[in-house]
Amino acid sequence: MTNLFAKKAIGMVATTALVLAIAITTHNLADAAEFNFNWKGDTGYSAKGSFNYDTTTAPSVISEAGLGATKNLQSLSISFFDPFSTLINSFTPVLGSVSNYSFLRFNFDNTTQQIFGPFDVGKDDELPGDTWLNNNLALIDEGFSNEVLAKEFGFNNRDAAGIKQILDLSNNSVQVSKVPEGSIIIGLLAVCSLGLTAHRNLSRANQE
């Protein structure tokens, strides 16, 4: 009986992975561009995130600001880490082509594949635990900030009392890397293959 349940479970995993892979393919993944990005400060704090957009409708420069429906970004997420690589917090400022971060500033040149200009990504509702990364010098130039800081990027959060702290500063830029097209499908097909292999192995074992 246990082997029967195991056989059914493995078969379901394999089938589900295959169905998902086919579904994703039919939804034109080739038209979606996904990128990872990362930043590291001078004292070891860091941020990692990802974003995506539809290449069929996006202009050469993607620019987003504030709350509400985005012009091009479909999603944008970011995670923050301390100098020991321990997760501080994670946020999704853009989900389903809608921004929920009022201070959002995001500019990306999809020709050079570089983030540039005003940048403010994270969460800041003036609540304990809020964390965000911003390009303060660019924000000042655009009239979005009046802070005076010596270095370009600031890693900020709010303590238990909701007081803002600047945890790290650096002139290091935000680095971007493109996620290879089809990587999600490849992963799903790998799961499918493993499931089918396990299914065959279990069938052989039952026959012996």
Side-chain angles (χ1 to χ4, degrees):
M1 183 66 72
T2 301
N3 284 344
L4 178 60
F5 286 141
K7 186 176 180 180
K8 287 185 177 179
I10 292 170
M12 288 176 64
V13 169
T15 302
T16 300
L18 182 59
V19 170
L20 284 173
I22 294 172
I24 290 173
T25 303
T26 59
H27 279 79
N28 300 319
L29 258 188
D31 294 333
E34 182 173 358
F35 294 84
N36 293 327
F37 64 89
N38 66 84
W39 176 89
K40 190 166 186 177
D42 291 350
T43 61
Y45 285 88
S46 61
K48 296 180 181 180
S50 65
F51 61 93
N52 66 50
Y53 58 89
D54 187 342
T55 58
T56 62
T57 59
S60 59
V61 173
I62 293 172
S63 182
E64 306 286 0
L67 290 168
T70 56
K71 290 177 285 186
N72 299 111
L73 279 184
Q74 296 175 332
S75 69
L76 171 64
S77 61
I78 190 167
S79 296
F80 300 97
F81 303 87
D82 69 14
F84 301 100
S85 298
T86 302
L87 179 67
I88 296 175
N89 223 326
S90 293
F91 303 105
T92 305
V94 175
L95 181 63
S97 300
V98 176
S99 166
N100 55 59
Y101 180 42
S102 59
F103 300 111
L104 176 69
R105 295 294 182 275
F106 182 88
N107 297 277
F108 177 69
D109 187 326
N110 61 33
T111 301
T112 62
Q113 296 189 355
Q114 292 183 338
I115 286 174
F116 70 96
F119 181 91
D120 191 333
V121 177
K123 179 183 179 183
D124 183 20
D125 293 328
E126 298 186 358
L127 298 174
D130 286 353
T131 313
W132 66 99
L133 176 68
N134 63 10
N135 182 334
N136 193 67
L137 299 186
L139 289 170
I140 291 173
D141 290 341
E142 296 292 328
F144 295 127
S145 174
N146 58 6
E147 287 187 287
V148 179
L149 300 175
K151 295 186 178 181
E152 190 172 10
F153 278 88
F155 184 109
N156 316 274
N157 89 331
R158 293 191 180 276
D159 63 16
I163 304 301
K164 176 185 174 180
Q165 307 176 102
I166 300 176
L167 300 178
D168 206 336
L169 292 171
S170 177
N171 286 321
N172 295 333
S173 60
V174 177
Q175 301 297 309
V176 178
S177 60
K178 188 172 184 179
V179 177
E181 292 180 2
S183 60
I184 298 175
I185 293 177
I186 291 172
L188 288 170
L189 290 177
V191 172
C192 178
S193 177
L194 288 172
L196 290 174
T197 299
H199 188 275
R200 286 195 296 268
N201 291 339
L202 186 58
S203 296
R204 291 195 194 101
N206 289 335
Q207 292 170 0
E208 293 175 356

